[in-house]
């Protein structure tokens, strides 16, 4: 069986795309999505540690026929757009070089998510390209769609902020979220490809646990976005790691600024997300299997006995929580239909 | 290899014990624990649906050599104590018959957990032995140890209340819990042996989901116990089902009645549980694998950025969350060391 | 988010298709594949037990928008083709009715796999439509492609025969297989949607076991096909159930009729399967994750120390092992490209 | 909750025991078993990489209260016995030093399993203590019990040889095994604690695969032992890795030297293993969950359609396949009941 040596493009590509950092989970998926995208041409997928290996050698379930190469920032001619899947801190200088070469940049790291420099430094340390700080558009598509159409540099949100903020947005936009406690959980792909005892199959099977209980850097990001929507609410946040690969759930206990009954809250959600191509408002709680390998976000909301709202946002953490949303935004930046290559 | 045909008792048994409803997960484990207990003699393990089958035929990982029989309430002579693992509603009449025959009763169902009749009826329907309602002792050992020594009928707490209340007790006892939101999660053994699409391996692997989001009957039980401890706090509660067998975690976001820093709260926990044989106060968040197949409860508490406490209680849901705690209490009722047969 | 109410057809459909028995794992997948197929129109998906429910209600990860209905054999007008996912025995009479109404039939059951009536009866009992016995074409596409183009009734092979025979075919066709012992393993989707203790998540996690060790009915089917290819070899066969959902591996120890070295055997395989759209000859042993949710078969062969060949055939048991291969064959029957709707 | 600071010994210890290499899976389990053993005193558990850490910090599910230290071969006074869990090659020199200091040695590595020097070198390279080569007793307890009582240096068998040889021994002892093909499978604890992509939870979940298909070094070990028993049969061997932690199955297709029916073969097995404390002859195929965390081996044998025997041997790979069997043998070497500390 011969894989096609070239991508299945339909007509001239809308952009020639580079994926930087394609040996990790999110970079590899970004390369895989771009390869199958009918309007994007994958011109390079780079990796320092795995240069020379085929992507399908690292990820046998992917089908993109491309060999990983080392990134050469001096040879960016002909790159229209780049998806950068580097660690926090390392991404910003690469983004800067790519922008300088004229490429549109979709950054999957945290480097441009936060808009307050002090908060960034507290959680991530010194910024790698201070001159660009604050110039990225926050890539939570459903909230920043119009800005994204014009964007040159996009900060793809963290996976937990994506699930949490989409789960709370209809309330937050109305100023209704007074406080929120978020219990989130995700599979081991969210931990990354780094190998240590924690994610060895023998450690993780039949296990589950909270982590970063003294402070996770996605918390200030969630607070930033709830405030931007109109609800400057304090957020308590605890993530958990689960014995599954892809999938993430944010269970959000929200104190409401004013009393609302279940029907009213559910109507608000249905109305807010009507017509959204990737957000599905469910009639009951979501489950993770239903959205594995999709760019969807499933949302459900209810009101509990004592009047608090409980909102659930569920995603595939490496799709809508990272690479899928990255491509969704790149589509917008290029004037394409935002669902292209993602269904 | 021949299993010993008789139990490995050390000397005369302290009690001859019947386990009723031994074909379900908690009843089977209760029979298994009693079989290996050095001071208890397992005289019968009953099951209507599986009478005639060996326990090890249903549960190949258990080693108790006993054939399941039908319960005959007319022949209870010589039964000193019984563990009743019946569904809610069906347990109470059997408990009544066993009490009438003079047996000590440890009930694993919900029938005697709630102390308010109206609340019971709202969540469980009509009670099966109204004359006994309110006469059981709530079997959360660490909170009711003295009463349990004198008890004749014990209501083993629900698994979620066990994890949640042990996680919050040191705060609740001081009147410090003003409000609490609990995100809990457990493995499929908590769903019971009933087979349906939800727990088919093909449905559950790579999945996780919240359930009973419109109201779970363990919530009023948690409120009852927090109030009894001194913190009549409103509780929001959401359980999740995880792709693992045994294990349960309660992640509790508690608003404190007065501000306390992390050190103070952690000291409170260490002090409260010093000397407890089955509660371990950890220095970091618990994980479920560490306590599988044990009667332990692992507890951790911290204080988050905005001053709320986050308390974690982790157990094996069929051990400390059901059968293990049942035997722990039976030990007390019989004047034995409460750890006997459980380490 | 609104699912499209109608199928994403590209132009006039090549056939209007009925899927009978769409509530089980293979029938549901057949309906899902047909729904997304650019040239097939899914006109009905039937189920006695779940009529009235949406397919996505039973299988949240599927996206086909269709409500299950009861099959009415008196109203088959306008059905060009049917995929029948009934239990063995029950399928044949339905196939007969569908054939009588002029529909092409792809049967996923065992009813037309065996060509010897006595063997059929020994393993499956009385046949449900004796007048049709022997009239089906065996749907192992790579071996019977030309016959399948003309077929009106196709017997989709068992999953184990698909993996085993594709794993052995290049040797068997040359008369080189003298004897073979097959150790096969598959996930719980192969066990079917029926719920019992065996496939409860709590039974299956951290477990694996052989089953049907005294005789599995896929063994005579494998012998039939090896003989048809030119190697009438005795087959020993043991299947195992694994703690995963989709995926199947046949590990085949073959005594060779004449000595061949590793290079020669591997060359034989590469040559035999060159150009096959769904069979991939690997350079090392296959893994199941690489082909989940695909119609591919991954094959690897080597020669061990003592001169025996070891051939591996790996598939997704509900795709190439059932519904995917069913649609592959239906494509051929309709004169379509056999990969249509399957990539 | 306070763990006991000292071991729960009953009376004077029969031996003071060192475990060398206690940070890996088998060494850690050996330390855990020795700690809970009523007659052995665990005086040290050593590890170069993790010296200074508590064993329970590395393995939260273990309860032994011991801190890992560096091994100092100059200070072995007072060590009566050692269990050495070093990699192949590195173990032999340490064994030699321990023997020189007068300690009984149970080696968990391959260094003394093979009795033919040339075969050792082919599969493992140069030997680390040639002067000791051939002086170890092969520690498959059920076959070498009497020699083990007198042994000073014991080579614990490989996990696959343990399962395979116990599965075949009753036939092999009678000279009945003419040829055998073994398909074996085990969980990820058999892969060891080393972390790489293969055993990351995200790689392994929903996966399974054969490995070392061009030759696994347990094959010559199995051939050696079958020959020693009386059946010098050629062995074909393929191991598979499964998505579970602990558990291993050998499925052995044996050509019989003379025809035997199922009853005769099954009688042979029951008779051979009658009275064995850890081998259980089942009436049907084994499953891995039934023996997790035990030192048992479950065996089943049948005869298939064409007259071949199919024998199954199942174990927990780190218990009977390594550390449990190591302690079983140490018990014998010390004149203790061989089940002590293992039930």
């Amino acid at each position: 069986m011969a894989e096609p040596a070239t991508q299945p493009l339909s007509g001239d590509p809308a952009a020639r795309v580079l994926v930087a950092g394609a040996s990790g989970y999110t970079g590899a998926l970004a390369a895989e999505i771009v390869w199958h995208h009918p309007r994007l041409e994958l011109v390079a997928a780079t990796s320092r540690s795995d240069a020379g290996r085929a992507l399908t050698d690292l990820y046998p379930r992917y089908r993109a026929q491309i060999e990983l190469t080392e990134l050469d920032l001096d040879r960016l001619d002909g790159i229209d757009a780049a998806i950068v899947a580097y660690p926090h801190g390392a991404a910003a200088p690469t983004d800067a070089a790519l922008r300088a070469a004229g490429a549109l940049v979709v950054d999957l790291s945290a480097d441009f998510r936060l808009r307050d420099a002090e908060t960034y430094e507290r959680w991530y340390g010194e910024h790698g390209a201070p001159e660009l700080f604050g110039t990225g558009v926050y890539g939570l598509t459903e909230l920043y769609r119009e800005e994204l159409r014009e964007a040159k540099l996009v900060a793809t949100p963290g996976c937990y902020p994506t699930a949490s903020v989409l789960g709370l947005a209809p309330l937050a936009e109305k100023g209704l979220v007074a406080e929120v406690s978020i219990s989130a959980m995700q599979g081991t792909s969210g931990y990354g490809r780094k190998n240590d005892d924690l994610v060895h199959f023998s450690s993780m099977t039949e296990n589950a646990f909270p982590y970063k209980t003294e402070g996770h850097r996605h918390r200030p990001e969630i607070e930033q976005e709830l405030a931007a929507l109109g609800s400057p609410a304090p957020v308590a946040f605890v993530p958990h790691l689960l014995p599954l690969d892809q999938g993430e759930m944010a269970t959000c206990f929200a104190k409401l600024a004013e009393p609302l009954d279940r029907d009213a809250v559910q109507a608000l959600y249905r109305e807010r997300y009507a017509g959204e191509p990737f957000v599905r408002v469910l009639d009951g709680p979501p489950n993770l299997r239903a959205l594995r390998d999709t760019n969807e976000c499933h949302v459900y909301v209810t009101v509990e006995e004592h009047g608090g709202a409980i909102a659930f946002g569920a995603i595939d953490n490496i799709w809508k929580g990272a690479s899928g949303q990255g491509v969704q935004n790149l589509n917008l930046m290029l004037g394409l239909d935002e669902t292209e290559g993602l269904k």
Side-chain angles (χ1 to χ4, degrees), chain A residues 25 159-160 183-192 197-212 238-251 286-289 291 312-317:
Chain A
Y25 287 161
C159 57
Y160 289 126
S183 170
M185 48 189 80
Q186 74 172 357
T188 54
S189 61
Y191 190 80
D197 287 353
L198 264 188
V199 289
H200 192 297
F201 190 89
S202 287
S203 304
M204 205 57 227
T205 184
E206 297 296 301
N207 204 355
F209 48 85
Y211 65 101
K212 299 268 183 198
V238 175
H240 302 72
L241 206 62
L242 301 192
L244 53 89
D245 177 12
Q246 294 167 227
E248 178 173 314
M249 178 93 58
T251 296
N287 77 74
L288 298 183
R289 270 293 285 287
L291 39 68
F312 303 91
I315 57 173
D316 182 319
N317 52 298

Side-chain angles (χ1 to χ4, degrees), chain A residues 113-177:
Chain A
R113 293 174 189 163
L114 294 172
R115 289 185 287 269
D116 180 72
E118 208 173 312
T119 306
Y120 181 90
E121 276 168 31
R122 174 177 164 203
W123 291 95
Y124 296 97
E126 203 181 343
H127 195 269
E131 71 285 4
L132 286 184
F133 191 84
T135 67
V137 173
Y138 191 74
L140 195 44
T141 325
E142 289 72 16
L143 304 183
Y144 292 90
R145 187 171 279 123
E146 294 317 310
E147 293 89 327
L148 289 163
R149 291 190 206 278
E150 308 303 322
K152 305 298 180 198
L153 170 60
V154 169
T156 309
C159 57
Y160 289 126
T162 297
S164 303
V165 177
L166 286 177
L168 290 164
L171 289 168
E173 287 173 344
K174 305 281 189 191
L176 287 166
V177 179

